[in-house]
Amino acid sequence: MLGAVTAAVAAPGLVRAQAASASLSPDAMIEDVRLLRRAYETLHPGLLRYNTADQMAAAFDGLEADARAPVSLEAFYIRLSRFLATLKCGHSYANFYNQSRPVQQRLFETADRLPFQFVWLGDRMIVTRDLSGSSVAPGSEIVTLNGRPAGEVLAGLMTVARADGGNDAKRRQLMSVQGQDGYESFDVFYSLMFGSRSRHDLEIQAPDGRVRRAVVDAISLEARRAQRPPVVDAGGDTPVWSMQRRGDVAVLTMPGWGLYESAWDWKGWLNDQMDQVVADRVRRLVVDIRDNEGGLDCGDVLAARLIDRPVVPDVARRLVRYRRIPEDLRPVLATWDRSFDDWGDDAQPFDDRYFTLARSADEGGVIQPRGPRFTGDVAVLIGPQNSSATFGFAQMVKREGLARLVGETTGGNRRGINGGAFYFLKLPATGLEADLPLIGTFPLTPQPDAGIEPDVTIARTPGAIASGRDPVMEAVLG
């Protein structure tokens, strides 16, 4: 069924592609496909997690075969994204933010975005916020979008969505528009796959059940970004999280852990906050990470304030494909830490495919109790956005019984994810980039192809969205 949808949506994308001013030559695309293949087959730890060697070989062969006729950059970007999605790895994708400025401007910055925010609940497209004046009330359902059933649109988008394994909840979340990203995946891929347009023709079912047709003007990238809440500079020295009191409950909101270049002393801030919570004898701590995909392992610092014994944050094996990268690949592998080029003695042979990677002391191999312990009730609010470091945190919290998990199933996958260290693979002939995770985590025992289930499941509903309620927060504050 999905294959039929993919074939159906390819044509509109190619219409836009053929309208572009320049096409990529077969030689350029084939050169980069072969480079991608060499780098991924040599270095990617999860290449065969969900695919056999024969399946991957056929997929690479197919990508190269499709490159034997000139196509536009737009068309090749979609092909590359669709191929990378077959790996079922949430960290393997042609990252919007790692492309060159000319590529970003050409592919991602067209003024053709829907003028409101929305989420996918199953295959239903539910409006959450409209700041454009287009009069689409929160809780409304977009039944058809430019003549196509919304579910059909979603099925096409799912073929390019990055996620781990069969965790489609993460794919739906990724294709929702919630003002959390500088480039929203839906905005990029809808335009490339279904065609760019300055106005959108909608069939809308209002929360009261009435159905109407509306034509709304598209908005620019700048207008989309203006819909976001105030953005705190993650690279600055001011807090990007908050701790608020609601009676005898403390609510710690952590919308992101991407603090790689931050000048903010987040560890000191978090420990100071926890010191105060303990001193004030707060009864309950609520940790809201629902909007947080991941970043640094910030959850380890919080966990140290909840435990009375040492805890290993991740009991899975950490495996890599190499000890030292081939020299010919080094020029096309950008990264923030060149120590990834050579693991040295930290990488020891595991089997005929992998090296096991030692966990160094500065990576927090064991979390030690720290400071006065918080002994009250703890609830961690989770959802499908949690797919990297926050997935690992939710997994540890559940395994160690540190808190109740409340909300919806996480992203990520219990069969393990790939990440921890990255290269940004430059494809010089076409000018594109593909992220390449380097460390694979593999559970010690067989696990289901699924995210982390909450202890208390509270799903989002159109009715709650229409009324502006947050049933998850209400449940833990009650």
Side-chain angles (χ1 to χ4, degrees):
M1 185 70 179
L2 208 62
V5 171
T6 301
V9 302
L14 289 175
V15 169
R16 172 175 166 181
Q18 291 164 355
S21 59
S23 292
L24 298 173
S25 71
D27 287 347
M29 290 184 288
I30 289 171
E31 178 183 333
D32 279 354
V33 169
R34 289 176 178 174
L35 174 60
L36 178 78
R37 183 171 191 165
R38 171 156 163 71
Y40 267 56
E41 287 185 339
T42 303
L43 306 176
H44 197 298
L47 199 66
L48 306 184
R49 196 190 293 270
Y50 296 102
N51 296 276
T52 66
D54 287 345
Q55 287 172 328
M56 284 310 310
F60 277 115
D61 289 345
L63 187 62
E64 181 172 333
D66 287 343
R68 297 191 181 277
V71 298
S72 71
L73 182 67
E74 287 85 346
F76 186 67
Y77 182 83
I78 287 293
R79 288 180 184 176
L80 177 62
S81 297
R82 188 172 285 129
F83 166 80
L84 292 171
T86 66
L87 273 62
K88 299 182 179 181
C89 167
H91 286 110
S92 299
Y93 61 112
N95 193 326
F96 308 145
Y97 304 96
N98 291 335
Q99 307 303 326
S100 68
R101 275 302 293 148
V103 168
Q104 290 175 336
Q105 290 170 333
R106 177 170 165 175
L107 269 61
F108 311 149
E109 299 186 3
T110 48
D112 48 20
R113 288 154 166 78
L114 285 168
F116 45 77
Q117 297 176 4
F118 59 88
V119 294
W120 293 98
L121 303 184
D123 63 356
R124 301 175 66 191
M125 187 178 189
I126 306 298
V127 174
T128 57
R129 195 178 187 201
D130 178 16
L131 299 176
S132 68
S134 55
S135 301
V136 184
S140 297
E141 178 178 356
I142 306 303
V143 181
T144 65
L145 176 58
N146 297 309
R148 293 178 182 272
E152 180 181 310
V153 171
L154 177 63
L157 295 172
M158 296 281 271
T159 67
V160 293
R162 59 181 176 87
D164 296 289
N167 194 339
D168 283 345
K170 171 62 180 180
R171 293 182 174 90
R172 293 187 187 92
Q173 182 67 23
L174 188 71
M175 289 301 169
S176 300
V177 173
Q178 290 292 279
Q180 296 168 351
D181 296 308
Y183 294 115
E184 299 279 0
S185 294
F186 176 91
D187 290 341
V188 169
F189 287 116
Y190 181 79
S191 173
L192 290 172
M193 296 175 72
F194 294 91
S196 179
R197 44 180 53 83
S198 61
R199 309 189 82 194
H200 294 282
D201 189 345
L202 312 175
E203 183 183 352
I204 306 168
Q205 180 170 325
D208 62 8
R210 289 183 294 176
V211 177
R212 67 184 175 98
R213 181 175 172 270
V215 178
V216 299
D217 291 331
I219 61 173
S220 66
L221 173 63
E222 292 73 20
R224 171 69 83 212
R225 289 177 174 174
Q227 294 179 344
R228 302 169 71 186
V231 178
V232 178
D233 180 11
D237 59 0
T238 56
V240 299
W241 309 327
S242 66
M243 181 80 84
Q244 297 178 332
R245 300 295 179 87
R246 303 189 185 184
D248 59 354
V249 180
V251 179
L252 173 61
T253 304
M254 308 174 89
W257 290 351
L259 302 172
Y260 305 100
E261 299 179 352
S262 178
W264 173 44
D265 178 16
W266 61 267
K267 292 182 181 179
W269 182 92
L270 185 54
N271 278 309
D272 288 346
Q273 296 294 322
M274 290 304 298
D275 286 344
Q276 194 63 50
V277 164
V278 173
D280 292 347
R281 301 182 184 275
V282 167
R283 176 174 60 91
R284 185 183 308 161
L285 173 65
V286 176
V287 182
D288 189 353
I289 57 171
R290 288 175 291 176
D291 294 335
N292 188 336
E293 188 168 30
L296 299 177
D297 289 322
C298 302
D300 291 359
V301 175
L302 178 60
R305 306 303 301 265
L306 306 178
I307 58 178
D308 59 2
R309 67 193 188 288
V311 167
V312 177
D314 189 350
V315 298
R317 291 189 180 94
R318 302 169 76 241
L319 303 178
V320 296
R321 289 294 320 284
Y322 68 99
R323 177 172 282 166
R324 181 175 181 172
I325 62 170
E327 283 301 317
D328 65 301
L329 286 178
R330 194 179 193 280
V332 297
L333 297 174
T335 185
W336 71 91
D337 187 345
R338 294 314 315 189
S339 71
F340 302 155
D341 294 353
D342 188 345
W343 297 115
D345 290 340
D346 282 347
Q348 294 297 319
F350 177 73
D351 59 18
D352 60 358
R353 182 172 178 80
Y354 290 108
F355 294 86
T356 184
L357 193 64
R359 189 185 297 275
S360 60
D362 63 351
E363 288 176 319
V366 176
I367 303 173
Q368 299 288 346
R370 185 190 187 284
R373 179 185 174 216
F374 179 75
T375 58
D377 177 67
V378 184
V380 176
L381 312 189
I382 60 171
Q385 184 76 347
N386 308 142
S387 55
S388 185
T390 46
F391 163 81
F393 178 67
Q395 188 174 46
M396 174 182 64
V397 164
K398 186 151 191 171
R399 184 184 68 242
E400 302 294 335
L402 303 183
R404 288 179 299 131
L405 299 180
V406 183
E408 298 178 86
T409 304
T410 68
N413 204 287
R414 291 169 63 184
R415 289 188 181 177
I417 61 177
N418 313 300
F422 292 87
Y423 284 127
F424 310 121
L425 174 62
K426 304 300 180 182
L427 303 174
T430 60
L432 296 180
E433 180 275 350
D435 282 10
L436 174 53
L438 304 178
I439 302 172
T441 57
F442 293 83
L444 303 182
T445 58
Q447 296 293 321
D449 179 4
I452 306 299
E453 295 289 338
D455 299 303
V456 180
T457 299
I458 303 175
R460 291 168 292 181
T461 66
I465 292 170
S467 63
R469 294 175 48 242
D470 184 349
V472 179
M473 187 64 74
E474 290 173 2
V476 295
L477 293 179

mmCIF file of all heavy atoms in Angstrom, residues 323 347-352 354-356:
data_model
loop_
_atom_site.group_PDB
_atom_site.id
_atom_site.type_symbol
_atom_site.label_atom_id
_atom_site.label_comp_id
_atom_site.label_asym_id
_atom_site.label_seq_id
_atom_site.Cartn_x
_atom_site.Cartn_y
_atom_site.Cartn_z
ATOM 1 N N ARG A 323 38.224 0.945 14.210
ATOM 2 C CA ARG A 323 39.129 1.507 15.209
ATOM 3 C C ARG A 323 39.687 2.843 14.724
ATOM 4 O O ARG A 323 39.787 3.791 15.472
ATOM 5 C CB ARG A 323 40.272 0.535 15.507
ATOM 6 C CG ARG A 323 41.299 1.075 16.494
ATOM 7 C CD ARG A 323 42.293 0.014 16.910
ATOM 8 N NE ARG A 323 41.715 -0.881 17.910
ATOM 9 C CZ ARG A 323 42.257 -2.047 18.252
ATOM 10 N NH1 ARG A 323 43.345 -2.478 17.636
ATOM 11 N NH2 ARG A 323 41.683 -2.785 19.166
ATOM 12 N N ALA A 347 38.645 0.906 21.513
ATOM 13 C CA ALA A 347 37.897 -0.007 20.645
ATOM 14 C C ALA A 347 38.596 -1.356 20.620
ATOM 15 O O ALA A 347 39.725 -1.473 20.137
ATOM 16 C CB ALA A 347 37.793 0.562 19.244
ATOM 17 N N GLN A 348 37.924 -2.364 21.143
ATOM 18 C CA GLN A 348 38.474 -3.719 21.195
ATOM 19 C C GLN A 348 37.617 -4.665 20.360
ATOM 20 O O GLN A 348 36.390 -4.518 20.321
ATOM 21 C CB GLN A 348 38.534 -4.215 22.638
ATOM 22 C CG GLN A 348 39.507 -3.444 23.524
ATOM 23 C CD GLN A 348 40.945 -3.594 23.048
ATOM 24 O OE1 GLN A 348 41.372 -4.688 22.643
ATOM 25 N NE2 GLN A 348 41.701 -2.494 23.087
ATOM 26 N N PRO A 349 38.224 -5.632 19.662
ATOM 27 C CA PRO A 349 37.443 -6.532 18.801
ATOM 28 C C PRO A 349 36.316 -7.217 19.577
ATOM 29 O O PRO A 349 36.512 -7.692 20.696
ATOM 30 C CB PRO A 349 38.486 -7.544 18.329
ATOM 31 C CG PRO A 349 39.785 -6.817 18.413
ATOM 32 C CD PRO A 349 39.667 -5.915 19.616
ATOM 33 N N PHE A 350 35.137 -7.219 18.972
ATOM 34 C CA PHE A 350 33.973 -7.877 19.570
ATOM 35 C C PHE A 350 33.600 -9.123 18.777
ATOM 36 O O PHE A 350 33.404 -10.199 19.332
ATOM 37 C CB PHE A 350 32.789 -6.901 19.613
ATOM 38 C CG PHE A 350 31.529 -7.511 20.145
ATOM 39 C CD1 PHE A 350 31.402 -7.787 21.496
ATOM 40 C CD2 PHE A 350 30.466 -7.808 19.302
ATOM 41 C CE1 PHE A 350 30.230 -8.358 21.995
ATOM 42 C CE2 PHE A 350 29.296 -8.367 19.786
ATOM 43 C CZ PHE A 350 29.184 -8.646 21.141
ATOM 44 N N ASP A 351 33.455 -8.975 17.453
ATOM 45 C CA ASP A 351 33.210 -10.100 16.564
ATOM 46 C C ASP A 351 33.776 -9.728 15.195
ATOM 47 O O ASP A 351 34.588 -8.798 15.105
ATOM 48 C CB ASP A 351 31.721 -10.477 16.511
ATOM 49 C CG ASP A 351 30.829 -9.335 16.051
ATOM 50 O OD1 ASP A 351 31.341 -8.367 15.450
ATOM 51 O OD2 ASP A 351 29.606 -9.397 16.281
ATOM 52 N N ASP A 352 33.370 -10.453 14.161
ATOM 53 C CA ASP A 352 33.958 -10.182 12.846
ATOM 54 C C ASP A 352 33.404 -8.908 12.195
ATOM 55 O O ASP A 352 33.837 -8.534 11.104
ATOM 56 C CB ASP A 352 33.773 -11.381 11.916
ATOM 57 C CG ASP A 352 32.304 -11.742 11.693
ATOM 58 O OD1 ASP A 352 31.430 -11.080 12.294
ATOM 59 O OD2 ASP A 352 32.028 -12.692 10.938
ATOM 60 N N TYR A 354 32.233 -5.945 14.481
ATOM 61 C CA TYR A 354 32.234 -4.817 15.405
ATOM 62 C C TYR A 354 33.448 -4.792 16.328
ATOM 63 O O TYR A 354 34.083 -5.816 16.600
ATOM 64 C CB TYR A 354 30.982 -4.862 16.291
ATOM 65 C CG TYR A 354 29.696 -4.564 15.585
ATOM 66 C CD1 TYR A 354 28.769 -5.581 15.325
ATOM 67 C CD2 TYR A 354 29.379 -3.273 15.189
ATOM 68 C CE1 TYR A 354 27.574 -5.307 14.691
ATOM 69 C CE2 TYR A 354 28.188 -2.986 14.558
ATOM 70 C CZ TYR A 354 27.289 -4.004 14.307
ATOM 71 O OH TYR A 354 26.101 -3.725 13.665
ATOM 72 N N PHE A 355 33.691 -3.573 16.835
ATOM 73 C CA PHE A 355 34.545 -3.361 17.994
ATOM 74 C C PHE A 355 33.654 -2.907 19.140
ATOM 75 O O PHE A 355 32.698 -2.153 18.933
ATOM 76 C CB PHE A 355 35.585 -2.263 17.721
ATOM 77 C CG PHE A 355 36.592 -2.610 16.677
ATOM 78 C CD1 PHE A 355 36.322 -2.385 15.333
ATOM 79 C CD2 PHE A 355 37.824 -3.142 17.028
ATOM 80 C CE1 PHE A 355 37.254 -2.687 14.352
ATOM 81 C CE2 PHE A 355 38.774 -3.457 16.055
ATOM 82 C CZ PHE A 355 38.482 -3.231 14.713
ATOM 83 N N THR A 356 33.959 -3.360 20.344
ATOM 84 C CA THR A 356 33.239 -2.853 21.502
ATOM 85 C C THR A 356 33.959 -1.613 22.001
ATOM 86 O O THR A 356 35.196 -1.562 22.026
ATOM 87 C CB THR A 356 33.132 -3.915 22.614
ATOM 88 O OG1 THR A 356 32.341 -3.403 23.691
ATOM 89 C CG2 THR A 356 34.496 -4.310 23.151
#
